[in-house]
Amino acid sequence: MNLIAKPSKENIKTYVPIGLFLVSLSFLDVFINAFFNFNLMGFLPSQLSYFLPLILGFIGFYLIRIEFSGVRSLDVLNKNINSNNFNALLTLFTIFIIIKSIPPMLDWFILEANFAGNSKDDCTGNGACWVFIKVWFNRFMYGLYPDAEQWRINTAFLILFAVVGVSFFVAEKLKKYFILFLVFVFPFLGIKLISGGSFGLEYVESAAWGGLSLTFIISAFAILFCFPIGVILALGRRSSLPAIKYISIGFIELWRGVPLITVLFMSAVMFPMFLPDGTFIDKLIRVLIAITLFEAAYMAEVVRGGLQALPKGQYEAAKSLGMGYWRMNALIILPQALKLVIPGIANTLLALVKDTPLIFVVGLMELAGMIGLAKTNPKWLGMAMEGYVFAGLVFWVICYAMSRYSQNLEKKLSTER
Amino acid sequence: MSKIIELKRVNKWFDKFQVLKDIDLEVAPQEKIVICGPSGSGKSTLIRCINRLEEHQEGNIIVDGTELSESTKNIEKIRAEVGMVFQQFNLFPHLSILDNCSLAPIWVKKLPKKQAEEVAMNNLKRVQIDDQALKFPGQLSGGQQQRAAIARALCMEPKIMLFDEPTSALDPEMIKEVLDVMVDLAKGGMTMIVVTHEMGFAKEVADYMIFMDEGKIVERAKTKDFFEKPKSERTKLFLSQIL
């Protein structure tokens, strides 16, 4: 098998150019094939021409695989994507698949998609019918909230973004007032503004709320409440008082053991039956309580993980300074434990946001629910793909933003270790 | 002279294993006591009982006129008066050295923040790490961390200081800087109970030596007598091995 010498430093001058040429040729072939629908190797028998790029690329990668070549970029390349035959094949496959899948995606999303028009009939191309999103956009954002009153939702969110934005730039000392406002005042102010019923604002019942704004409202409230409840449950589960301990364990295990969808269903259908006649709790509030308690159980276990990771010495040091249970936990234990479990907390909160579409089972339509409703409209049948791709993108943007924020927080808080 | 710490027939078990057996101990204000003994002899447990990081099951422990019992109020009162220094320092890693020192005065003694920080800086100066005040514990050497831990305990202005093997986790060259601080503290008139194997330190500052073995106080003697003419065979054996 010594027909060709093994690639080494001696023959680097001939092997590397040939190898690179072959690899580029294989990429070029796939690229032209995918984007211009023209087969460079068309003169060859069909099966051979199909596999040829793979064979050429494979040989090319073999030829440039020279250990300690002394050329930095070549070494980096070999080490990362071309360390052996199998990895070279994987590399080729991955790159080919990416190249191959770009044109159809591009076509569907943009090139052959329809943007202009007002009805389904305007969608003549083969691509996505974005007209659907455009026409229904208002519903996707605000649900069935009356058009004339939508400024109230906008104002509430504008105030939120403004306060959050300003809080990044104010002095450290004022920051805590901003946070207090955001946590204790704004949620109720915002909800009052949106629901109305006083200050001359028309009352809009929660059944009309919907779309992305409802996603935000539910997520925000659930996050706001499930976090402290989760922390208290976590502390409770580690309490030395048996009553508190077993109540916490029971609560956590009960809620963790039931699917969210059944919890929501119970909150909407069963729960009202147990209420005395004449009492009425808004459906949205019942659902919010259900989601909050459900996620709090998960949060509790995440936080407990952090509590258990702390060395015993931290508890002893805090106690030896005369701190009581609450001071010890608030000042010493929780700040460290929560910092340790930021990834887990982010995980739970992301799951919470992505669980909100489940509220469709009780008839509340947030973004995904609204899309589900729109796609069954007789005039807009067959738009499921566009709708759910849109929903997926929106959820991804929200969740990715949250994930980035949690990573930043982690970095910011980890300076002292 | 009235006693600041009194232990009367204290017994303690971990499950079925008895760690403290009929411990009687009295400490007068400003006395310095060094406890030594082989590992597992219960010396750490003994001083941890004094601020109730460990619970005793039988007997009485009275600290500065307050008896240690189930009462949380009493426990917290005693802990605020008794400073403790640990083998593993146990500084709070999420707070700067200054915050480590000023936290308890602010939240437990309710000092205004400014005053608490002043107290903290004074104590950091006393242990000679005031230049490190704004750093975090992870950025300090072991010796500096232990001195910061001593300063943190001093910020509560305790009447008694307990030291639980304060130099055992330190590199040899850092032991001296910590011991110097402790000697200094002893000369300032602090009541101290120290669990340590540093016999040089013991000879220099201790009024009394206590030797423990298997949960019992085997020998309690004036420092000079303890080293020169120990009474029990067990003490002699121990001393011959560590001196």
Side-chain angles (χ1 to χ4, degrees), chain A residues 314 316 319-320 327 331 416, chain B residues 48 79 91 93-94 110:
Chain A
Q314 292 293 311
E316 291 179 348
K319 282 183 193 162
S320 76
R327 277 192 204 118
L331 300 170
E416 59 264 36
Chain B
R48 287 159 63 87
R79 282 177 181 162
L91 289 171
H94 62 303
K110 313 281 183 198

Side-chain angles (χ1 to χ4, degrees), chain A residues 312-325 327 331-333 335-336 339 415-417, chain B residues 48 51 53 76 79-80 82 84 86 90-94 103-104 107-108 110 136 138 152-153 156:
Chain A
K312 211 172 136 221
Q314 292 293 311
Y315 290 88
E316 291 179 348
K319 282 183 193 162
S320 76
L321 288 168
M323 291 187 196
Y325 179 82
R327 277 192 204 118
L331 300 170
I332 308 300
I333 304 304
Q336 295 184 63
K339 194 173 71 187
T415 44
E416 59 264 36
R417 291 240 180 206
Chain B
R48 287 159 63 87
N51 67 351
L53 288 181
E76 277 167 30
R79 282 177 181 162
V82 180
M84 181 146 194
F86 300 88
N90 293 344
L91 289 171
F92 306 131
H94 62 303
L103 192 72
W107 290 94
V108 179
K110 313 281 183 198
F136 287 98
R152 177 178 70 180
M156 290 296 287

Side-chain angles (χ1 to χ4, degrees), chain A residues 258-280:
Chain A
V258 221
L260 180 56
I261 205 156
T262 56
V263 172
L264 289 171
F265 199 70
M266 298 270 266
S267 78
V269 182
M270 302 271 289
F271 181 66
M273 288 197 247
F274 300 121
L275 286 178
D277 283 342
T279 42
F280 173 75

Side-chain angles (χ1 to χ4, degrees), chain A residues 32-87:
Chain A
I32 290 177
N33 205 332
F35 280 80
F36 303 103
N37 225 349
F38 174 76
N39 193 348
L40 269 188
M41 317 275 175
F43 56 89
L44 290 167
S46 66
Q47 266 157 349
L48 188 59
S49 90
Y50 194 76
F51 286 108
L52 198 64
L54 208 55
I55 297 165
L56 288 182
F58 187 68
I59 297 172
F61 268 137
Y62 176 76
L63 291 179
I64 62 171
R65 195 181 304 133
I66 296 166
E67 276 175 57
F68 309 116
S69 63
V71 185
R72 219 185 115 75
S73 49
L74 190 64
D75 282 343
V76 171
L77 183 91
N78 281 336
K79 192 177 153 222
N80 290 315
I81 63 171
N82 187 23
S83 52
N84 56 39
N85 285 338
F86 179 70
N87 283 348

Side-chain angles (χ1 to χ4, degrees), chain A residues 327-344:
Chain A
R327 277 192 204 118
M328 172 179 78
N329 276 302
L331 300 170
I332 308 300
I333 304 304
L334 284 175
Q336 295 184 63
L338 293 180
K339 194 173 71 187
L340 279 176
V341 294
I342 287 175

